[in-house]
Amino acid sequence: MICYEVIFPAEVHEFVLGGAQFLVNITNDAWFGRSGAPYQHLAMAAMRAVENGTYLVRAANTGVSAIIAPSGEIVAATDIFTRTALVGSIRLRHGETPYARTGDLLAWGCAAFLAAYVAALVAARQRAKRN
């Protein structure tokens, strides 16, 4: 993934569906400057690793380069605006997480359940007012 593509679960999920055994994210976080944003961007990348049950290697020219485990653990990381190299090991993906199997189906199912629940509450309240 290039830069901000890593924050979109469905986009990353397509790579896994296509057979990706690990994920790579290259990014230029320079425009964030010295703020918390590079770390927030890293946290979003960690979520994609967890969702898909795969290692994610992140190379950022000024932001946080990192190796992220399938558990979301940051195995190794660099500081922002620091010239350095990051070396580590990863393992190829094996098995599938529920998200890797179903994508956003669970989220959409939860949203549909919530909408039906709210509709039932509203209907019950209207019936109570009539009685």
Side-chain angles (χ1 to χ4, degrees):
M1 292 122 328
I2 300 172
C3 200
Y4 247 69
E5 290 174 343
V6 78
I7 72 166
F8 300 106
E11 300 253 342
V12 176
H13 186 235
E14 289 296 318
F15 289 109
V16 174
L17 288 177
Q21 296 296 303
F22 65 95
L23 300 169
V24 175
N25 174 226
I26 57 172
T27 186
N28 175 3
D29 286 348
W31 60 287
F32 287 139
R34 293 186 182 278
S35 69
Y39 300 99
Q40 183 179 17
H41 198 191
L42 173 67
M44 291 181 213
M47 284 301 302
R48 302 300 81 84
V50 171
E51 289 167 348
N52 293 288
T54 184
Y55 274 87
L56 190 147
V57 177
R58 188 166 191 270
N61 62 343
T62 59
V64 183
S65 293
I67 299 171
I68 306 168
S71 65
E73 175 190 1
I74 309 299
V75 177
T78 65
D79 291 325
I80 61 173
F81 293 97
T82 302
R83 184 177 290 204
T84 187
L86 184 63
V87 178
S89 298
I90 64 168
R91 287 188 292 278
L92 299 181
R93 179 174 60 87
H94 61 282
E96 289 183 321
T97 63
Y99 183 81
R101 276 192 297 280
T102 63
D104 291 331
L105 184 63
L106 177 63
W108 284 112
C110 289
F113 173 79
L114 181 61
Y117 185 73
V118 168
L121 287 176
V122 168
R125 182 172 283 187
Q126 288 176 349
R127 279 193 304 274
K129 282 183 182 179
R130 284 191 295 251
N131 294 335

